[in-house]
Amino acid sequence: MTELPRIISVDDHVIEPAHLFETWLPKKYRDRGPKPLTAGIGELAYVGGKYQITMDPKGPPTDWWIYEDLKFPYKRNIAAVGFDRDEMTLEGITRAEMRRGCWDPVERLKDMDANHVEGSLCFPTFPRFCGQTFAEAHDKEVALACVRAYNDWMVEEWCGDSGGRLIPLCLIPLWDIGLAVAEIRRNAARGVKAVTFSEIPTHLGLPSIHSGYWDPFFAVCQETGTVVNMHIGSSSQMPAASPDAPPAVQAALSFNNAMASMMDFLFSGVLVKFPRLKLAYSEGQMGWIPYALERADDVWEEHRAWGGVRDLIPEPPSTYYYRQIFCCFFRDKHGVASIDVVGRDNATFETDYPHVDSTFPHTKEVALDHVEGLDDETVYKLMRGNAIRMLDLDLDRDLDHLGNRDHLGARDTLSSRDKADR
């Protein structure tokens, strides 16, 4: 391998700019929509796997969103790039203290260039990983307007002038399947190929994927080629062994929800019913996948009669994984060592910018350390090729393995800024 291909990261994050809803939410909803505020933050407590957060006028200045009865602060661990490792704490932070690439798309592109990254798919922060903030809101009319405003901002402002390098990832109104289908169609019409969804919807009080409730959503995603992206924590619940365990236990177990979600899908019949639907697991790493597939196939072979899947799942579950599911990694040498079982066509790469786990600005070195000894074709697939195929990006499929192009293809969008003023 003469040079590492330019990376397409399928899991990064964006800190929403303070003007987002003032600019993109229609005027009639702005008084009831999210509002930015800078105020002091009190001591953060971590109890039973959840953070307890208070405002304190005497506390360190922090940027917040105020929305209905929610007070949402930004913390250093989610805007950690630029800080020393021991400074990546749960303390509050303002946008002025963050590296500007956290929320400014022009500066993000510069950081991507410095980090050997060509393309980036970014998950939300204030809306939470799959839009739980709006799903939990009382006024669903305003919440729907917020979902649409976020998506318009994501497509047209965050991604719009990036030459396609910033890849749109949109939300759906989780509380209404009809509205969710409509939002997928609205965004697909302007070239969006990715939506974020909950890894375990029942943890959010929503119907399970076994119920059939989500079938219209899966059907429209299949029809439009929209990838269903599920980030660890997108069920608002992270694994923890004990209620008084430190957050480090939660961090070490974070892949567990991805594993549970994948088993749910493999035995649900969803992938049988929708054979072109694509699922992507974000930030779950991949070293656990070989045994998970082995166990799933063993259960199917030995226990399918009493296990309720004899007539539901006609082939070994691993069949559907290799056909329709993508994983991603950034620190997982065990997964790379097992790449033949994980799937050379199933694994993608991420940088997790700007979170505490991010490999920025050393992503090239981290990636090279992981792919040492792999053939050029596999390295190309892991660093960018599988992401191009997964997201149907407008890139030459025969692009040389050096990945020298400066930009992804430009993406046409429809303007919504004028609609926000109606």
Side-chain angles (χ1 to χ4, degrees), residues 249-260:
V249 173
Q250 181 189 82
L253 292 174
S254 60
F255 70 92
N256 277 11
N257 278 1
M259 182 167 59

Side-chain angles (χ1 to χ4, degrees), residues 160-182:
D161 293 330
S162 69
R165 296 182 64 191
L166 294 170
I167 304 159
L169 176 63
C170 287
L171 305 174
I172 56 169
L174 290 162
W175 61 92
D176 187 302
I177 191 66
L179 293 174
V181 169

Side-chain angles (χ1 to χ4, degrees), residues 36-161:
L37 175 70
T38 302
I41 193 170
E43 293 288 331
L44 271 70
Y46 182 77
V47 181
K50 295 185 180 294
Y51 298 109
Q52 295 181 355
I53 305 165
T54 58
M55 284 187 173
D56 181 352
K58 298 180 181 179
T62 299
D63 278 346
W64 301 72
W65 286 103
I66 308 302
Y67 175 49
E68 294 190 340
D69 53 1
L70 173 68
K71 297 178 176 64
F72 182 96
Y74 288 122
K75 304 184 295 295
R76 278 195 184 191
N77 65 323
I78 61 172
V81 291
F83 290 96
D84 292 332
R85 181 62 55 186
D86 289 336
E87 295 177 322
M88 298 178 182
T89 65
L90 295 176
E91 295 174 63
I93 190 172
T94 64
R95 292 179 185 83
E97 295 172 299
M98 299 175 191
R99 189 175 182 89
R100 194 177 175 94
C102 292
W103 52 270
D104 181 331
V106 174
E107 293 301 315
R108 175 64 68 94
L109 291 174
K110 293 177 184 178
D111 282 353
M112 288 163 60
D113 286 336
N115 203 31
H116 200 69
V117 173
E118 184 173 8
S120 173
L121 185 77
C122 292
F123 282 83
T125 302
F126 163 64
R128 314 219 303 273
F129 290 146
C130 68
Q132 300 101 301
T133 293
F134 303 125
E136 294 169 2
H138 305 297
D139 188 330
K140 289 299 192 288
E141 182 183 359
V142 176
L144 176 61
C146 288
V147 167
R148 291 173 173 166
Y150 177 90
N151 290 340
D152 291 340
W153 165 81
M154 165 60 63
V155 174
E156 299 176 35
E157 183 177 327
W158 178 252
C159 300
D161 293 330

Side-chain angles (χ1 to χ4, degrees), residues 10 32 65 110 133 140 161 171 177 196 202 207 255 263 270 273-274 308 347 351 363 394:
V10 300
R32 293 178 285 160
W65 286 103
K110 293 177 184 178
T133 293
K140 289 299 192 288
D161 293 330
L171 305 174
I177 191 66
T196 179
T202 54
F255 70 92
M263 285 296 186
V270 168
K273 189 181 299 185
F274 303 103
T351 79
T363 296
D394 187 18

Side-chain angles (χ1 to χ4, degrees), residues 155-386:
V155 174
E156 299 176 35
E157 183 177 327
W158 178 252
C159 300
D161 293 330
S162 69
R165 296 182 64 191
L166 294 170
I167 304 159
L169 176 63
C170 287
L171 305 174
I172 56 169
L174 290 162
W175 61 92
D176 187 302
I177 191 66
L179 293 174
V181 169
E183 191 62 13
I184 292 293
R185 291 195 184 282
R186 186 176 81 93
N187 291 311
R190 51 183 173 178
V192 175
K193 293 291 185 179
V195 64
T196 179
F197 186 63
S198 176
E199 59 199 353
I200 307 175
T202 54
H203 286 347
L204 303 179
L206 298 169
S208 84
I209 62 168
H210 303 273
S211 67
Y213 174 84
W214 297 103
D215 282 3
F217 166 69
F218 296 136
V220 74
C221 288
Q222 173 175 263
E223 175 192 334
T224 58
T226 301
V227 183
V228 178
N229 296 263
M230 294 171 284
H231 197 283
I232 56 167
S234 57
S235 53
S236 299
Q237 184 172 313
M238 295 289 280
S242 304
D244 55 349
V249 173
Q250 181 189 82
L253 292 174
S254 60
F255 70 92
N256 277 11
N257 278 1
M259 182 167 59
S261 175
M262 193 176 83
M263 285 296 186
D264 223 17
F265 271 99
L266 290 178
F267 285 109
S268 68
V270 168
L271 301 179
V272 179
K273 189 181 299 185
F274 303 103
R276 299 187 313 281
L277 179 68
K278 291 184 285 188
L279 307 180
Y281 284 99
S282 307
E283 206 173 324
Q285 308 297 339
M286 62 187 189
W288 52 270
I289 289 176
Y291 177 69
L293 294 178
E294 179 183 340
R295 179 60 181 164
D297 284 355
D298 281 348
V299 168
W300 179 85
E301 183 68 36
E302 303 294 339
H303 307 290
R304 61 179 178 267
W306 71 268
V309 295
R310 180 181 58 193
D311 301 320
L312 185 64
I313 311 297
E315 299 180 73
S318 62
T319 305
Y320 308 103
Y321 165 81
Y322 290 119
R323 188 177 74 185
Q324 295 174 251
I325 296 179
F326 293 85
C327 58
C328 70
F329 74 101
F330 57 104
R331 288 193 183 93
D332 190 345
K333 290 188 176 182
H334 182 69
V336 174
S338 306
I339 195 63
D340 283 330
V341 183
V342 169
R344 292 172 189 254
D345 294 321
N346 300 81
T348 59
F349 198 75
E350 63 164 295
T351 79
D352 200 31
Y353 182 110
H355 283 189
V356 67
D357 251 339
S358 179
T359 52
F360 177 88
H362 307 296
T363 296
K364 184 176 182 179
E365 292 85 349
V366 171
L368 283 169
D369 185 44
H370 276 69
V371 302
E372 184 179 5
L374 295 179
D375 62 275
D376 285 1
E377 181 180 2
T378 299
V379 173
Y380 177 80
K381 287 181 177 182
L382 300 182
M383 294 297 107
R384 61 187 285 119
N386 290 340

